[in-house]
Amino acid sequence: MDAHADATRRGTALYRWLWRWHFFAGLFVAPFLVLLALTGGLYLFADEIEGWWYRDLARVEASAKPVAPEAQERALLAAYPGARIARYTAPREPTRAAEWQLRSADGAARTVFVDPGTGALRGALDSEWRLMTVISGLHGELLLGRFGDTLVELAACWTFILLVTGLFLWWPRHGAAGGVFLPRVRARGRLLLRDLHAVPAAWNALFVAFLVLSGLPWSGFWGDQLARLGTVSPALAPTPNFGAAPITPTLVDVAARVPVHEHDLAPGDLPWAIRKAGVPEANGGAARIDIADVMTAARARGLEAPGLRVLYPQRAQGVFTISFVPETAQRQRTVHLDPSSGAVIEDIGWREYSALGKAVELGVETHLGEQFGLANRLVLAASCVVIIATVVLGFLTWWRRRPTGELAAPPRSPGFAPSALVVGVAIALGVLFPLAGASMLAVLAFDVLSRWVRRASA
């Protein structure tokens, strides 16, 4: 009887201890999670939204004989003398305009829409403030650069921890079935809010875990550390051309490759595996090929479907890059051409990806809602809606429970020491997510220090 009572007390203490961690993690993560779910849900339908938002620029009449990209380029340079072209994006469908991104003589980054049927320029917009560029920037870095990227990564890591603690709090105890798999809709007040918060969150747990893990490779710190695994084993290198994980945006490694400047690329320009591999150097001779030659090389490889981009060289030893990123990861292709000779420096496709590169790209394309078509987008959009509802209901549950003017954090468990299993899980999460691990240590240090101060002043 005493042993049973002791086990019950320890179980209750553990529940309160994890509930406290879940509570404070939720307070930190909640605003980020709502923003990530909202922006991510919108980005799932980026093409449809921008097709409507910029319909006067993007929508054109289908043409049986489209104007060649080199003719479009001439019209573009005539309209923007002194401009430097950054990329050409082929139309996604016959009724969509081609897109050209350039840096004009005044230094502004512009995206110009060209009717591929007539070659006429339909208009331009500021590339940095394009609707989906802003939404993507909010989603990835809160429009705050590397600092924002770190905050989003930290929030994503804590979301995973929130998920683990939440599943423990949701797990049925003592044979109780109410509020486990279905909410107790006949309940009222806090109990109903708790069920509406916990049950959908539990059903959504796998999707949230997937979204966190498939999104983290694009984060600054965690993504770079993942890429560094490629220096340990060829099986873990993103691609065979991977020499070393990027250290800073300006260093050139021993294999004469330069890390990609992330801020110079638009979403979808290059797969993760290629970005982390870096871009090879050209011979540095005078440019002798143009967009016509690049498109001929693309057609020779069957790279004409939607998803084709041509990235222009931006420096003396830069290369032309044919980037083919269609809806499915298995069809990705990246071809680097020497602008002085047209020689193929590298041609990298799915077969050349490592096991790590393939896993990341499958995750990324599914994360973006591309890999499995409309069903993919609808499922993830539903998951985003559940995430937002879960956060709101969690907030309402706390708000209804708290006394006026108090934080009402879950009570401490005096004298409780977590078991070796719990400590092991915490250490494993801290190792898997180093930023979260560092913040956990900071929280524990603050907690110990605050207790010491209270005892000293008592």
Side-chain angles (χ1 to χ4, degrees), residues 357-378:
K358 289 179 178 179
V360 170
E361 292 304 333
L362 281 172
V364 167
E365 292 304 309
T366 306
H367 185 108
L368 293 172
E370 300 284 0
Q371 187 69 25
F372 302 105
L374 180 60
N376 192 164
R377 293 195 290 276
L378 292 176

Side-chain angles (χ1 to χ4, degrees), residues 64-157:
K65 295 183 178 180
V67 174
E70 56 266 29
Q72 298 179 37
E73 183 190 71
R74 286 195 295 270
L76 188 72
L77 293 176
Y80 294 91
R84 176 169 54 85
I85 297 177
R87 71 177 57 78
Y88 160 73
T89 303
R92 293 185 64 87
E93 54 190 57
T95 57
R96 292 292 289 270
E99 297 181 20
W100 294 79
Q101 185 164 325
L102 54 82
R103 183 75 63 174
S104 58
D106 61 5
R110 291 188 172 90
T111 299
V112 183
F113 294 79
V114 179
D115 186 338
T118 65
L121 276 60
R122 296 182 58 83
L125 53 84
D126 186 330
S127 299
E128 295 179 0
W129 291 103
R130 181 171 179 163
L131 177 61
M132 282 300 155
T133 301
V134 172
I135 289 175
S136 175
L138 283 170
H139 188 78
E141 57 184 31
L142 310 176
L143 300 180
L144 295 175
R146 188 59 183 258
F147 175 70
D149 175 89
T150 301
L151 280 178
V152 169
E153 180 180 338
L154 185 60
C157 295

